[in-house]
Amino acid sequence: MNKKEQLQTPYLKAYEKYLKDHTSVFDVPGHHQGKIRTDFDKIFTHVVYKNDVNCPRGMDNILHPTGPIKDAQNLFAKACGADYCKFLINGSTSGNLIMFLSALQANDKVILPRNVHKSVINGLVLSGAVPIFIMPELDKKTEIVNQISFKDRKKAIDENPDAKAIFIINPTYFGATCDLKKIVNYAHLNNKIVLVDEAHGSHFYFSNKLPVTAMQAGADMSTLSIHKTGGSLTQSSVLLVKGKRVHKYDVIKSFNMLTTTSPSSILLASLDAARKYLVFKGSAKIYGAIKLARQAKDRIDQIPGFLAHTKDYFVNECQAYDYDETKLCVEIDKLNLSGFDLYKLLKDKYHIQIELAETYVFLLLFTIGSTQEDVDVLISALTEISKEYYDPTLVYEDHHYSNGFPEMKVRPRVAYHAPLKVCKIKNAVGKISKEMIMIYPPGIPVIIPGEVFTQEVVNELLYYKNKKANILSDWPASNEVSVIDEKKWKYTISED
């Protein structure tokens, strides 16, 4: 990487020039750089409106970049060791969709873990690909879904020689990584395209203290949520491509289909600025985040009712090959609170926002923006909560509902287009789901289109509903689910 070249911010520079020109506007957006005043101004300074422009002359076109967007993307690709890069303004959700539509066609087989993000299931629906799911192990102690071993991935590749691609989550939401180089090498040896969801690992590219990246491992495509851990604005991500296993035409075609013709210049500029910041300051800032996480672990472990898990636990207990130390998973034990209760209490009483909560764990992220003051506030709050809710005699009820994921009856696209029937959750056992239902965050579906409701799945959903967890589904009624109406379904083998 040419560090001198990385000093440039071509899109940011073009953006600044346009704003300094004080142009009289007759294009979209309709507020014409803030010629109106709304209640929005009560929260933000009016400069947000003034800086909100679309695709004016001089600032390039995201669908056919030939100027500053193209230059900014090229710099990002070089910073990450990719052949080329596409800026995304609909998050890594769009990156996953683009990867599936670029690499797969209807009825192509793709090997993937079942604990994928909802966007991946939507990628299956849009592409028509057939999933070959690898079922991950569940850590019974924390209820965290683990990384999948090389042995299990190799077995899936060997048993499915006709599969076109393998999809890998690296890292998981909780920070566990796999032996990515070994998997990529074996997949390529067996003529498989390798797609990687690096949504939670964009910072890996800018620190030697963190696990290997998809591009270092030689993967064909990956998507990074720069906004999650890299400092750009929410929704801004990038798609990286390396090698020629996926044709560039297919990537551009899929990108253009899923990308708005009215992109936010503010989001694009934040990507250009974040890349420069990460190249020159990322390593030191990320190491600072790691040190804060280590300090927080040591302090949390001294508070009754809390036990922080990091690299040693995930590598030794959860089959992880490596671990992202900027993440801290905290188990709660002998507290008269569930993780969901704690999530709400921390925000409502102590004004602390954590990343997510499960029944008996919660997740903390330490990033380039984390501070010592934030850590001190967190430790103070957890200490106070421990004094009020810790009970050394407490024995938790059995909360391990699911021993695995439901069986898939038909591929997701078939279920998506099948006739609809609505039923009560409690009556769904044995029926084929038409929808995705997930707890968010992290957004991993409990059931997806084409899978069969089991009593375990029903129990799990009712449990989460009782805990008032944030359940996302396609059917809006809280006590109902959408299933295939098998009486109206003229299923034929050709649908597979």
Side-chain angles (χ1 to χ4, degrees), residues 468-480:
K468 295 182 170 52
N470 191 18
I471 300 175
L472 301 184
S473 62
D474 299 327
W475 186 253
S478 62
N479 63 339
E480 295 176 331

Side-chain angles (χ1 to χ4, degrees), residues 93-323:
T93 287
S94 62
N96 282 333
L97 295 177
I98 291 164
M99 287 197 294
F100 269 69
L101 289 175
S102 301
L104 298 162
Q105 297 179 2
N107 295 306
D108 282 343
K109 291 182 180 179
V110 56
I111 299 166
L112 68 166
R114 175 55 182 77
N115 58 311
V116 290
H117 187 264
K118 68 183 291 288
S119 60
V120 176
I121 306 303
N122 286 330
L124 291 170
V125 171
L126 290 175
S127 66
V130 179
I132 306 298
F133 284 127
I134 311 174
M135 298 302 172
E137 292 294 322
L138 186 72
D139 176 26
K140 295 294 186 182
K141 186 176 181 181
T142 61
E143 293 191 321
I144 294 172
V145 176
N146 298 326
Q147 266 289 1
I148 295 169
S149 67
F150 171 76
K151 178 182 176 182
D152 288 343
R153 294 186 207 263
K154 179 180 182 298
K155 182 174 183 287
I157 291 172
D158 292 343
E159 291 178 351
N160 295 276
D162 56 339
K164 189 174 181 183
I166 181 169
F167 181 87
I168 300 167
I169 306 167
N170 197 74
T172 65
Y173 203 115
F174 284 89
T177 65
C178 58
D179 190 348
L180 197 54
K181 283 186 178 180
K182 192 172 182 180
I183 297 165
V184 170
N185 289 342
Y186 192 75
H188 283 167
L189 187 66
N190 286 271
N191 299 313
K192 307 283 186 276
I193 296 168
V194 181
L195 313 174
V196 184
D197 181 344
E198 289 187 292
H200 295 274
S202 66
H203 53 309
F204 288 12
Y205 286 85
F206 304 95
S207 171
N208 60 10
K209 306 289 185 185
L210 295 173
V212 68
T213 69
M215 294 298 103
Q216 287 173 331
D220 301 293
M221 299 179 76
S222 72
T223 184
L224 319 180
S225 291
I226 308 302
H227 68 94
K228 283 186 169 71
T229 56
S232 64
L233 293 178
T234 296
Q235 284 187 225
S236 55
S237 299
V238 300
L239 179 72
L240 303 177
V241 187
K242 191 171 188 175
K244 297 181 179 179
R245 288 182 179 85
V246 182
H247 200 288
K248 192 170 185 177
Y249 169 78
D250 292 322
V251 176
I252 294 171
K253 177 179 66 175
S254 302
F255 175 86
N256 288 350
M257 181 170 69
L258 294 170
T259 301
T260 178
T261 56
S262 301
S264 166
S265 294
I266 297 173
L267 296 185
L268 295 175
S270 79
L271 284 170
D272 199 19
R275 183 263 315 153
K276 178 181 175 180
Y277 183 90
L278 289 167
V279 167
F280 291 98
K281 298 183 179 181
S283 179
K285 295 291 287 186
I286 291 167
Y287 185 51
I290 292 172
K291 289 193 290 185
L292 281 177
R294 290 172 178 171
Q295 178 207 125
K297 172 183 165 44
D298 292 340
R299 295 172 71 182
I300 289 171
D301 284 345
Q302 301 305 310
I303 305 172
F306 299 100
L307 180 61
H309 297 304
T310 185
K311 185 172 182 175
D312 287 346
Y313 180 82
F314 281 88
V315 171
N316 296 326
E317 303 292 333
C318 301
Q319 299 185 33
Y321 177 77
D322 203 351
Y323 187 73

Side-chain angles (χ1 to χ4, degrees), residues 25-39:
V25 293
F26 294 91
D27 65 345
V28 295
H31 59 72
H32 281 186
Q33 289 188 262
K35 301 299 195 302
I36 62 171
R37 296 278 175 173
T38 70
D39 287 351

